[in-house]
C-alpha cells in the first residue's frame, strides 16, 4: 500500500482514481500529475515501482497544496470572513447557508434537524 501526502492509497485501483483519495486532488489534478510523471492513465497502484511512487510524491509536494495545509488555509479563510464581520462571515458564524440559498424551507444540512415549535398549530 503506497502512502502519499499522509494518505494510504488503495492498491487495486488505477492511479488516477487512487490519487483522488487525497484531499485537494480531484480528477483534473490527478490527470495532470500522471502527465507530469509520464505515466499511463491505465496504470494501477500495485504496478508502480518505488521510484514512480517517489516521483508522484515529489510532484505533489512541489506543485500542489493538499491535506492538512489545504484544510488549514480553508479554515483560515473562513475565520478571516468571520472576523471581518462581512455578510458571508455572519452566515458562517450563524451556521446558515452562505451562498444565497433559501432558508424558509430546506437548508437542513446547515441548520441541523428541525426543532418543533410549541403551540404553533391551532
Amino acid at each position: 500500500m503506497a502512502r502519499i501526502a499522509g494518505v494510504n492509497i488503495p492498491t487495486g485501483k488505477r492511479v488516477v482514481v487512487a490519487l483522488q483519495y487525497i484531499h485537494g486532488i480531484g480528477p483534473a489534478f490527478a490527470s495532470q500529475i500522471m502527465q507530469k510523471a509520464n505515466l499511463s492513465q491505465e496504470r494501477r497502484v500495485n504496478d508502480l515501482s518505488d521510484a514512480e511512487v517517489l516521483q508522484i510524491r515529489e510532484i505533489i509536494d512541489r506543485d500542489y497544496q493538499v491535506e492538512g495545509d489545504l484544510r488549514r488555509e480553508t479554515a483560515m479563510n473562513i475565520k478571516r470572513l468571520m472576523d471581518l464581520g462581512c455578510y458571508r462571515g455572519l452566515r458562517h458564524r450563524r451556521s446558515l447557508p452562505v451562498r444565497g440559498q433559501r432558508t424558509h424551507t430546506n437548508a437542513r444540512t446547515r441548520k441541523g434537524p428541525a426543532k418543533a415549535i410549541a403551540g404553533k398549530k391551532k
Side-chain angles (χ1 to χ4, degrees), residues 9-117:
I9 303 289
T11 52
K13 298 189 183 243
R14 290 184 12 234
V15 180
V16 177
V17 175
L19 284 175
Q20 295 177 40
Y21 280 69
I22 300 170
H23 179 76
I25 295 180
F29 280 166
S31 296
Q32 286 177 12
I33 291 166
M34 293 295 284
Q35 287 176 347
K36 288 179 183 179
N38 294 323
L39 297 173
S40 168
Q41 299 280 335
E42 304 303 317
R43 293 287 297 271
R44 296 200 175 260
V45 176
N46 50 11
D47 297 338
L48 293 177
S49 67
D50 290 340
E52 290 170 333
V53 172
L54 183 65
Q55 183 183 14
I56 291 171
R57 191 177 298 135
E58 287 173 352
I59 289 170
I60 291 172
D61 288 342
R62 184 183 65 230
D63 298 338
Y64 299 96
Q65 190 172 25
V66 292
E67 283 300 324
D69 294 335
L70 182 61
R71 291 179 205 272
R72 193 174 310 107
E73 183 181 338
T74 305
M76 291 302 294
N77 288 340
I78 292 171
K79 186 178 181 313
R80 179 180 53 81
L81 290 172
M82 289 166 60
D83 291 343
L84 282 173
C86 65
Y87 181 77
R88 282 173 58 201
L90 294 176
R91 302 301 281 182
H92 274 293
R93 196 178 301 158
R94 295 178 187 157
S95 65
L96 291 169
V98 177
R99 297 185 177 180
Q101 297 91 332
R102 67 181 289 130
T103 57
H104 179 70
T105 58
N106 302 335
R108 287 288 114 200
T109 303
R110 287 288 299 198
K111 291 168 74 173
K115 301 167 203 77
I117 300 172

